[in-house]
Amino acid sequence: MKWRRTTAPRVAAEPLDQSRIAWLMAVAACALVPHGSHLPGWLIAVAALLFTWRLAQWKLGWPGASGLVKLLVVIACCAGVSLTFGRLFGREPGVALLTLMLVLKLHELRSTRDGHTVVLLGYFMLLTAFLYSQTPAMAAALGVSMTVITAALIALTGPPAAPRALLRHAAWMMAQALPFMLVLFVLFPRVPGPLWGLPLDAYSGTSGLSDSMSPGSISQLSLSGAIAFRVRFEGDAPPARDLYWRGPVLSAFDGRTWRQGSSAQRIGDGVPHTVPGRPLGYEVTLEPHNRNWLFALETVTTLPAGVRVSDDWQLFGRDGVRTRRRDRFESVLGARPGIEEWSGHLDAARQLPRDGNPRARQLAQTLRADSPADTVEAGLRLFRREAFVYTLTPPLLGDDGIDAFLFDTRRGFCEHYAGAFVFLMRAAGLPARVVTGYQGGERNEVDDYVVVRQSDAHAWAEVWLKGEGWRRVDPTAAILPSRIERGLADLPAGEPVPFVARVDLGWLRSLRHQWEAANNAWNQWVLSYDQQKQRELLSRLGMSQPDWRLMTIWLASLCALFATALTLWAMRRSVSADALARAWSGVDRALRPAGLGREAWEGPLDYAARIGRLRPDLAPVLSQACRLYADARYGAVPPAAATRELKACARALRRQRTPPRP
Amino acid sequence: MSDPRAVVDAASTLILGKRSRLELALTCLIAGGHLLIEDVPGTGKTTLAHVMARLLGLDFRRVQFTSDLLPADILGVSVFERETGAFRFHPGPVFTQVLLADEVNRATPRTQSALLEAMEEHQVSVEGETRPLPEPFFVIATQNPASQIGTYPLPESQLDRFMMRITMGYPDPAAERALLTGRDRRSLLADLAPVADAATLTAWRTRAEGIHVSDALIDYVQALIAYTRTGGAYRLGLSPRAGLALLAAARARALLDARNHVLPEDVQAVMPAVALHRLPMLEQPASHDDAARHLLQAVALPV
């Protein structure tokens, strides 16, 4: 058999002209800039270098990169990516390789086809930027980038045109797509859960409470102004001092670190005990913190589906919280659950290390009173009486940290007080445990959400009293009641107050509230627009029982409606008001505010003559404009050139319309 | 070919301060229409007709209309000649290029209609024989609106035959002073040399007919006509003939302005003269100017 080599018929490669190459470089720049904040430095340098080289080739006529150079760059960069990230797959290395491909493609622009590749890559790069950030600012920036890329696509396929005209065209196309986007966003049937999974490396770098507590862990967290979660109460929000958001409960102590104990391991689907009282409903929108526990007010009574609770009233989701999630809880404030606590848990809550902290143990013996309640009182009295200082920057403590804190330094943050208090209670024979979580929260007047930040992280104590249950005792409140009333803003003078907690900058605060409310609205209605929100919205729009069939019908009809409306409008526009007429009315609009508008019945030359008598300074431009219009509209002159010049005249008249001051 | 504006310039030396009227009169003649001048005696109506005829190098005849004027007095009559034994036609004053019909409303309707037929057909039928009139042929008629006693006002159907009706008005003080101190008009008229001739006038008319009229302008003319018919201000709207006359006059006016396309300004300039005498208003306006303003300002220019 004889092989005949055939070459595929080559598509006539249409070479790219200089203006289109400039557009494609703009595409690369627009697609890469949003990635600037997270790409590794060396890659940014390489990309910038390659880009500048291409720019110099375009502008100064430098020689282009040869095939060998490009090959070497590819090999070196792939090695670099693999070294930096340890692999070639995943989000980070993938975006890095895309960046490289896009910049290298700029050195390979031979035909229109290459141009299309760059445009496509540009769109794809924009999409990947959403894997890193989904803030409104990023969305706006990507909208601008998308306009530029679309303009480049028009430049690539259409006849040559001025950049401004192309950008306007692109923006106009995007504006026309907007109603379709909204309809699809609102009505497209939502599936629960994300459509695709993200690699694990997408979730690094989130902060929050951990499952253990040692001196310094919470005060570190308190310096962060990041938002932990947002809450919307059904009805009025309770005062801040009553808001104790329960997180990990720590009942095991090894002498230095508090950890979760056996009671946290026993997890059930319902609440361990019923709690009497009037429940308060609220909705918590939790920022991702990568752990599986959730936060709710003490003491929670009603759980949403998929949330479980441990014997020590700690809430857990199924998996780590990797995306923003929203849950509705009900809680009874000021309840004391657990009158009939299982003895195993109580025993665990009395456990102390065999030795260590002898002075504290001795002190605990002096606190023992007739009734357990009095013992608790005595413990709190101790903190109130002695000269304890509440500070974000406590000194370092060595071994026997509780002894050192109670008797030597007496300077500490909430974790010191909570830890020491629980230690004392246990040493005095009472079951007690440390509860970590958040305390308080700031109401945003703009959207009425209560915002809880990492700086609200807190630790307090719980003591079990026979016949009463678990009683919350907050030793920090004994030292510095205002910490509980008003948050960190009231730290003693000289303490470094976290920037976001400062109250003296009132304007900054209200600005921040506005900004956060806008962000929250974006989060609530755009990013977390899920099946439930969709149902909620659609039923509010009068669509009861929205199922996917009904939604599809609505979707199709609304899209058809928009398409018809846009078509009709476009047809009408071309008949009623052509470009020349619009440019002419632009002249009128320019002068009307100064009371120099054209009468409806006035001919163009008469108009120019009349205004020329009133305002001789406008006469040259206006009479030119009127002559242009008259010639184009009533003469046999083609109107295209006149339209352009007429627009320029309108701009000039707008500048001149206020009379020069004598 | 000379510029039509030269006619107006030359006429202005004799008829002082009436440039816009002279322009309208010339526009009417270039457009091939007949002119009706309406004003009180002594305002220069006759002089205007004389001057126009002379400057355009046209034959000029004048007939003073009276109530005993017969059609034959205008058209001509066949007289039996004994020498030849046959009837011979003696052409009347209508066989001229410019006929000034002074005080046209003083003649009986019978005589008026004889004239009007000649105006419309550019020919005369006498005793079964049709005789063409010279070309060009214009009638410039005058009438005095002030004294209506013993007159036969022209009916609307006949007013429609006149392309334009203009008024003269009193001269302004400066013009009046120049008139009072200057030479006698009649001797001035005798000294006036023609600026153009019949052929030139025909050429101008041909050129005017070739002037570009855009769709936008037709839109405007139609809007104006529609307003007179449906606007509610007039007892009777403009006829199609009036529409044609309006457009022809606007073209001539554009020619006078040395432009090769017609502007709404041209239409507006000739509109009162062309339209108002054909538009019986429901409420009599205070003046011609008021009526003109009302008509023009009621219709917006289509963009």
Side-chain angles (χ1 to χ4, degrees):
Chain A
M1 191 175 165
K2 203 174 164 191
W3 286 95
R4 189 182 295 161
R5 229 180 113 176
T6 56
T7 48
R10 281 180 73 104
V11 180
E14 192 189 327
L16 286 166
D17 59 26
Q18 291 296 303
S19 74
R20 286 181 176 149
I21 286 175
W23 269 111
L24 293 172
M25 287 198 285
V27 167
C30 282
L32 293 180
V33 163
H35 287 276
S37 59
H38 56 77
L39 285 175
W42 66 267
L43 190 68
I44 293 178
V46 169
L49 208 68
L50 285 170
F51 188 83
T52 317
W53 187 354
R54 190 64 185 84
L55 198 67
Q57 189 188 339
W58 175 69
K59 195 91 190 166
L60 309 172
W62 282 21
S66 71
L68 184 68
V69 172
K70 282 185 265 188
L71 187 69
L72 287 178
V73 169
V74 168
I75 292 172
C77 287
C78 285
V81 167
S82 153
L83 275 178
T84 310
F85 301 107
R87 61 196 185 283
L88 278 176
F89 298 100
R91 182 181 64 161
E92 309 279 356
V95 170
L97 288 177
L98 268 177
T99 305
L100 195 64
M101 275 156 69
L102 182 54
V103 187
L104 277 174
K105 192 70 199 168
L106 288 183
H107 288 263
E108 234 180 34
L109 298 178
R110 281 187 296 263
S111 65
T112 313
R113 222 189 98 184
D114 294 320
H116 283 287
T117 312
V118 170
V119 167
L120 216 62
L121 265 175
Y123 278 128
F124 193 74
M125 283 297 286
L126 288 193
L127 196 67
T128 57
F130 275 130
L131 297 180
Y132 292 92
S133 166
Q134 304 175 347
T135 58
M138 180 57 107
L142 292 188
V144 172
S145 293
M146 192 141 137
T147 312
V148 175
I149 298 184
T150 307
L153 186 60
I154 300 171
L156 213 55
T157 46
R164 280 177 66 134
L166 286 172
L167 283 172
R168 205 176 311 129
H169 190 173
W172 186 229
M173 281 171 76
M174 304 229 323
Q176 283 174 327
L178 209 62
F180 296 96
M181 188 194 84
L182 285 176
V183 166
L184 286 170
F185 178 81
V186 172
L187 284 177
F188 196 83
R190 301 266 158 174
V191 289
L195 276 177
W196 57 82
L198 280 178
L200 268 182
D201 64 351
Y203 304 111
S204 53
T206 45
S207 66
L209 286 174
S210 79
D211 56 356
S212 67
M213 182 186 86
S214 48
S217 58
I218 291 184
S219 45
Q220 272 305 310
L221 193 59
S222 283
L223 291 171
S224 156
I227 290 172
F229 50 90
R230 293 178 166 95
V231 188
R232 197 181 57 198
F233 286 96
E234 296 161 6
D236 289 340
R241 65 170 178 276
D242 291 341
L243 300 178
Y244 278 83
W245 306 96
R246 194 178 181 93
V249 179
L250 312 175
S251 49
F253 185 54
D254 63 359
R256 178 170 173 80
T257 305
W258 292 89
R259 295 180 197 285
Q260 286 179 315
S262 57
S263 53
Q265 315 297 322
R266 289 170 51 95
I267 299 176
D269 280 331
V271 292
H273 309 281
T274 51
V275 180
R278 222 164 61 90
L280 171 75
Y282 54 94
E283 202 176 62
V284 176
T285 308
L286 182 60
E287 297 290 320
H289 62 99
N290 228 0
R291 305 304 194 104
N292 66 338
W293 51 78
L294 312 175
F295 296 92
L297 280 178
E298 292 181 338
T299 299
V300 72
T301 55
T302 309
L303 298 175
V307 175
R308 303 192 305 157
V309 63
S310 68
D311 273 5
D312 51 14
W313 300 83
Q314 192 183 341
L315 301 174
F316 292 98
R318 282 195 205 294
D319 303 302
V321 181
R322 296 209 173 118
T323 54
R324 204 172 281 112
R325 65 175 284 164
R326 190 172 41 223
D327 297 290
R328 185 185 178 277
F329 299 106
E330 281 182 12
S331 294
V332 174
L333 298 191
R336 290 180 183 168
I339 298 183
E340 289 143 15
E341 186 64 290
W342 181 52
S343 58
H345 290 336
L346 293 181
D347 287 344
R350 287 195 191 93
Q351 289 290 320
L352 280 180
R354 205 176 305 278
D355 45 19
N357 296 312
R359 282 187 285 173
R361 285 173 204 257
Q362 227 170 23
L363 177 65
Q365 296 311 315
T366 67
L367 296 177
R368 267 182 192 270
D370 294 341
S371 74
D374 289 344
T375 310
V376 173
E377 253 323 293
L380 282 176
R381 229 179 3 252
L382 171 80
F383 283 115
R384 271 198 288 269
R385 201 180 53 223
E386 304 292 337
F388 281 97
V389 174
Y390 185 74
T391 172
L392 266 172
T393 50
L396 284 174
L397 305 170
D399 295 338
D400 291 341
I402 289 178
D403 271 5
F405 168 65
L406 280 177
F407 296 98
D408 303 335
T409 67
R410 293 193 170 172
R411 295 166 65 83
F413 199 60
C414 53
E415 69 260 36
H416 297 86
Y417 293 100
F421 185 78
V422 170
F423 185 90
L424 287 176
M425 288 302 111
R426 286 188 177 188
L430 293 182
R433 58 195 181 196
V434 173
V435 183
T436 60
Y438 297 88
Q439 200 285 319
E442 183 185 25
R443 196 173 138 262
N444 187 339
E445 296 86 3
V446 181
D447 58 0
D448 235 19
Y449 271 76
V450 170
V451 176
V452 179
R453 300 167 188 286
Q454 299 298 355
S455 58
D456 295 320
H458 191 47
W460 58 95
E462 255 182 358
V463 184
W464 189 81
L465 300 174
K466 196 172 168 104
E468 187 180 325
W470 290 98
R471 180 200 280 189
R472 181 175 66 218
V473 183
D474 191 348
T476 309
I479 314 294
L480 194 72
S482 61
R483 160 72 175 87
I484 306 306
E485 304 277 345
R486 285 155 64 183
L488 277 185
D490 254 27
L491 280 181
E495 287 291 325
V497 178
F499 191 63
V500 293
R502 290 173 66 168
V503 285
D504 47 343
L505 301 169
W507 59 272
L508 192 66
R509 199 179 171 80
S510 82
L511 200 68
R512 184 164 51 86
H513 278 179
Q514 298 278 358
W515 171 246
E516 283 178 1
N519 266 311
N520 186 33
W522 172 264
N523 291 343
Q524 297 286 345
W525 284 103
V526 180
L527 296 184
S528 3
Y529 183 74
D530 53 9
Q531 203 173 23
Q532 182 209 337
K533 276 263 176 194
Q534 189 176 38
R535 272 173 200 284
E536 211 177 291
L537 181 72
L538 292 183
S539 62
R540 217 185 293 169
L541 291 177
M543 219 188 284
S544 57
Q545 294 297 320
D547 64 351
W548 67 268
R549 270 190 220 88
L550 189 66
M551 268 150 58
T552 313
I553 291 170
W554 270 100
L555 196 71
S557 349
L558 278 177
C559 283
L561 190 74
F562 280 135
T564 316
L566 274 174
T567 313
L568 283 180
W569 180 72
M571 282 165 63
R572 225 184 85 79
R573 228 169 75 95
S574 63
V575 173
S576 72
D578 53 46
L580 180 68
R582 269 179 282 137
W584 174 236
S585 61
V587 171
D588 187 52
R589 274 201 307 278
L591 293 183
R592 193 161 290 279
L596 302 171
R598 189 177 64 85
E599 302 291 347
W601 47 269
E602 207 170 17
L605 298 192
D606 283 353
Y607 173 52
R610 179 171 66 89
I611 301 302
R613 282 193 299 276
L614 289 174
R615 288 281 303 276
D617 56 314
L618 295 178
V621 181
L622 184 62
S623 62
Q624 190 206 352
C626 291
R627 216 170 28 248
L628 280 168
Y629 175 72
D631 286 351
R633 173 60 77 206
Y634 298 105
V637 180
T643 303
R644 256 198 317 282
E645 288 181 53
L646 212 51
K647 282 181 186 163
C649 288
R651 280 195 293 278
L653 288 170
R654 195 168 299 130
R655 280 195 298 277
Q656 294 177 16
R657 73 172 166 229
T658 42
R661 284 179 190 281
Chain B
M1 191 190 302
S2 65
D3 187 340
R5 270 175 297 187
V7 177
V8 180
D9 291 341
S12 296
T13 61
L14 209 128
I15 301 173
L16 300 168
K18 294 285 169 222
R19 197 178 171 90
S20 67
R21 304 309 199 291
L22 292 171
E23 278 178 359
L24 277 175
L26 183 61
T27 303
C28 180
L29 298 187
I30 292 175
H34 306 288
L35 183 65
L36 177 66
I37 308 175
E38 191 179 88
D39 219 320
V40 291
T43 45
K45 300 189 291 285
T46 312
T47 316
L48 179 93
H50 255 294
V51 166
M52 279 297 162
R54 166 146 305 217
L55 285 172
L56 293 172
L58 303 176
D59 292 343
F60 179 77
R61 303 281 282 277
R62 173 181 176 170
V63 180
Q64 180 68 46
F65 277 41
T66 53
S67 55
D68 56 357
L69 191 76
L70 294 174
D73 296 334
I74 303 169
L75 305 180
V77 64
S78 292
V79 178
F80 182 75
E81 289 193 340
R82 206 161 307 157
E83 296 87 39
T84 58
F87 283 93
R88 201 166 75 85
F89 183 67
H90 289 260
V94 76
F95 287 87
T96 182
Q97 287 173 312
V98 175
L99 174 71
L100 173 61
D102 238 346
E103 303 209 61
V104 71
N105 55 342
R106 294 217 167 268
T108 56
R110 202 160 83 97
T111 312
Q112 285 174 359
S113 66
L115 174 70
L116 292 164
E117 191 217 326
M119 282 165 61
E120 184 64 19
E121 310 289 334
H122 284 226
Q123 63 187 17
V124 173
S125 304
V126 184
E127 289 149 22
E129 208 178 320
T130 301
R131 294 182 166 82
L133 293 174
E135 277 301 323
F137 172 70
F138 300 110
V139 172
I140 299 177
T142 70
Q143 63 176 2
N144 179 358
S147 69
Q148 298 290 333
I149 303 161
T151 63
Y152 304 91
L154 294 171
E156 275 130 24
S157 62
Q158 301 200 343
L159 280 174
D160 203 20
R161 308 274 167 90
F162 289 96
M163 178 179 263
M164 286 191 192
R165 178 194 63 180
I166 60 175
T167 57
M168 292 303 287
Y170 295 118
D172 57 48
E176 182 120 50
R177 191 179 185 86
L179 190 71
L180 291 172
T181 56
R183 277 175 64 197
D184 176 39
R185 300 291 113 183
R186 232 166 265 285
S187 63
L188 276 176
L189 189 63
D191 292 348
L192 212 56
V195 176
D197 54 19
T200 320
L201 190 61
T202 314
W204 286 340
R205 188 183 301 178
T206 316
R207 225 165 75 191
E209 279 161 2
I211 280 178
H212 176 74
V213 172
S214 65
D215 288 347
L217 192 93
I218 296 288
D219 287 345
Y220 179 54
V221 170
Q222 280 198 306
L224 280 171
I225 294 173
Y227 173 74
T228 63
R229 291 176 188 164
T230 60
Y234 306 101
R235 206 144 40 75
L236 207 65
L238 287 179
S239 65
R241 174 162 55 197
L244 285 170
L246 181 60
L247 203 57
R251 278 188 158 120
R253 152 92 198 183
L255 176 79
L256 209 60
D257 223 11
R259 232 179 306 104
N260 54 10
H261 54 262
V262 183
L263 289 182
E265 279 91 336
D266 297 322
V267 177
Q268 290 175 353
V270 300
M271 182 78 185
V274 172
L276 285 181
H277 63 287
R278 307 171 203 241
L279 287 174
M281 288 190 84
L282 291 176
E283 291 170 38
Q284 273 306 312
S287 69
H288 280 311
D289 284 348
D290 278 351
R293 208 174 301 127
H294 169 87
L295 176 56
L296 292 179
Q297 301 194 352
V299 181
L301 287 188
V303 282

